[in-house]
Amino acid sequence: VYDDPVAQYSSATCRREVVHHQINRYLSEKHRNKRMRSFLFFGESEDLVGRDFETIYLKLKLLRVLDLGGVRFPCEEGKKSLPEVIGDLIQLRYLGIADTFLSNLPSFISNLRFLQTLDASGNESIRQTIDLRNLTSLRHVIGKFVGELLLGDTVNLQTLRSISSYSWSKLNHEVFINLRDLEIFDSMWVDQRGVSLDLASFSKLKNLRALTLKVSTFKLSSESEETVRFQTLVELTLRCDIRRLPKDMDVIFPSLESLTLVRLRLEEDPMPALEKLQRLEDLSLTNCSYSEAKMSVSAQGFSRLNKLELF
C-alpha cells in the first residue's frame, strides 16, 4: 500500500499494489515490478501527468486486476481516452475505469478476451456501438450504454447496468439465462419512438433478482395477453410515467422483497395492489405524487413489511 510519500517503499516482488491519492508521485518514482498481478488506485480524481503510466505500468503482461477509478487520462482530439496499451493486457480479468470522464470505449477493449468485469460507471453516456462479442467470459458490465451493445456468449453474464431501452430492444433476450441484476433507462440521445419496453422480454430471465427501470412507460403483458411472472425477482426500482399500478402485482412479482417507486404520478391508491406482495419487506415511494387525499392499507396487508418510506 502506497499512501505515505515520505516513507520508504519497495515493491519489487509484491504482487498486489494499492495507491492512495499519490498516483503521480508514485508514477514519478518509476517503480518496476514485473510480478505485479493487481494495481488499484483509490482517492480523489487526479489528472495523470506525463506518460510514465503507459510506458511502465501498462506493459505488465501478467496484470489481472486494473482499477483506475477517478484517474483522469490525457485528452486526445478534445476527449479523454484510454491509453491504447491497455489493449495489450490480455490477461486482465477486471478493468475499473469508473469516474474517469470517458465518453467512449475504444475498440481495443475487444482484445481483452478473458475480461470478467468491466466497470465504466460514473462516466458520460457512451453513445457509439460497443462491440464486446469477443469477451465471452464477461460476468459484470457496468456503465451507461446508450448506443447498441454487441454481446456474444452471455451465459456467464450476471450484471448489466445500465443500458438504454433502445439497446435492450436490439438484443436477443433469451441468451441471458444467468442475468441477476439489470438496469434499463430511456435516453435523450436516441430516438425512442417505436421502442416500447415490454416486460415480456424478461420472461426468459429465470435468475433475475434485481431490476431497475428508468423509462417513460412499459407494457406488462405479452402478445398472447398472458401475465408475465418474475419468479425470482426480489428487488425492483420503477421510475416511469404510469398513473396506476397493475392490480395483480402479487402474481407478476411473487418473490419481491424490495420495491422503490420513483417519480410516479399516481391517480389511484397504490396500496391495495402493493399490500398483496406477501414477501415485501422494504417499500419506498420517492418523489411520487398522488392526486387523492388518502391511502388505505387493510389489516391483512403487508404481512412482512419492515420499512415504509414516503417522500
Side-chain angles (χ1 to χ4, degrees):
V1 176
Y2 182 91
D3 59 0
D4 186 352
V6 298
Q8 292 296 316
Y9 178 80
S10 175
S11 64
T13 60
C14 190
R15 295 195 176 197
R16 297 173 180 84
E17 298 193 19
V18 179
V19 177
H20 287 274
H21 298 285
Q22 305 282 340
I23 191 167
N24 280 305
R25 190 181 189 103
Y26 172 87
L27 294 176
S28 69
E29 296 174 8
K30 294 181 170 56
H31 303 281
R32 285 176 170 82
N33 177 6
K34 294 182 180 180
R35 300 166 64 91
M36 192 189 302
R37 300 292 196 277
S38 301
F39 182 88
L40 302 96
F41 169 73
F42 295 113
E44 298 177 0
S45 294
E46 189 170 343
D47 287 308
L48 282 185
V49 177
R51 315 296 290 193
D52 291 334
F53 190 69
E54 298 180 37
T55 57
I56 299 177
Y57 299 97
L58 294 186
K59 292 189 176 181
L60 300 170
K61 301 302 183 183
L62 300 179
L63 205 62
R64 283 170 167 77
V65 174
L66 179 61
D67 192 342
L68 301 172
V71 173
R72 295 195 292 260
F73 298 100
C75 287
E76 292 186 8
E77 298 180 356
K79 294 182 178 180
K80 301 285 186 183
S81 61
L82 290 177
E84 288 191 14
V85 288
I86 288 181
D88 297 330
L89 301 176
I90 59 173
Q91 298 297 332
L92 274 185
R93 267 61 170 179
Y94 182 102
L95 177 60
I97 48 175
D99 303 305
T100 51
F101 295 87
L102 294 173
S103 59
N104 69 317
L105 288 180
S107 59
F108 59 70
I109 291 291
S110 63
N111 297 343
L112 310 177
R113 61 183 184 274
F114 299 119
L115 197 67
Q116 296 177 359
T117 298
L118 172 62
D119 183 0
S121 58
N123 293 310
E124 297 180 30
S125 298
I126 299 172
R127 303 179 208 169
Q128 83 271 32
T129 297
I130 303 298
D131 190 348
L132 302 179
R133 287 175 291 186
N134 289 341
L135 312 186
T136 56
S137 299
L138 276 176
R139 297 179 183 176
H140 309 285
V141 177
I142 307 170
K144 195 167 187 180
F145 301 98
V146 173
E148 195 168 349
L149 188 63
L150 304 180
L151 297 168
D153 185 355
T154 58
V155 66
N156 296 309
L157 194 65
Q158 300 175 26
T159 305
L160 182 56
R161 298 198 314 261
S162 54
I163 180 173
S164 70
S165 50
Y166 167 81
S167 299
W168 178 254
S169 69
K170 297 291 185 179
L171 294 172
N172 177 12
H173 309 127
E174 295 185 1
V175 299
F176 294 95
I177 57 176
N178 288 310
L179 193 64
R180 296 170 62 87
D181 188 347
L182 174 64
E183 180 174 320
I184 299 177
F185 68 99
D186 278 349
S187 173
M188 60 179 288
W189 300 111
V190 294
D191 187 356
Q192 297 289 155
R193 289 176 295 181
V195 179
S196 180
L197 185 65
D198 191 343
L199 295 199
S201 66
F202 307 141
S203 60
K204 302 293 184 181
L205 310 182
K206 302 301 184 183
N207 291 300
L208 192 65
R209 304 279 286 174
L211 175 63
T212 300
L213 298 179
K214 301 177 180 178
V215 297
S216 57
T217 188
F218 57 82
K219 296 187 294 183
L220 278 165
S221 297
S222 63
E223 292 179 359
S224 61
E225 298 303 321
E226 295 179 358
T227 301
V228 180
R229 289 173 175 82
F230 295 78
Q231 299 290 348
T232 59
L233 194 70
V234 298
E235 182 179 335
L236 173 65
T237 300
L238 288 179
R239 179 184 296 176
C240 51
D241 187 18
I242 59 175
R243 299 291 192 268
R244 57 185 63 83
L245 296 177
K247 299 186 184 306
D248 53 352
M249 289 280 287
D250 55 325
V251 177
I252 300 169
F253 306 107
S255 302
L256 202 62
E257 296 176 2
S258 177
L259 174 61
T260 303
L261 306 176
V262 184
R263 296 179 184 171
L264 268 61
R265 292 176 289 184
L266 298 168
E267 296 175 351
E268 293 183 1
D269 186 354
M271 294 304 174
L274 297 176
E275 68 175 19
K276 293 188 290 185
L277 294 167
Q278 295 298 313
R279 298 190 181 185
L280 193 66
E281 299 178 2
D282 187 345
L283 174 61
S284 175
L285 278 69
T286 303
N287 290 337
C288 293
S289 64
Y290 174 53
S291 57
E292 301 299 322
K294 182 191 296 186
M295 291 183 181
S296 300
V297 179
S298 69
Q300 294 77 33
F302 294 118
S303 58
R304 295 179 60 176
L305 197 67
N306 290 324
K307 175 185 174 183
L308 174 62
E309 181 179 56
L310 303 174
F311 178 70

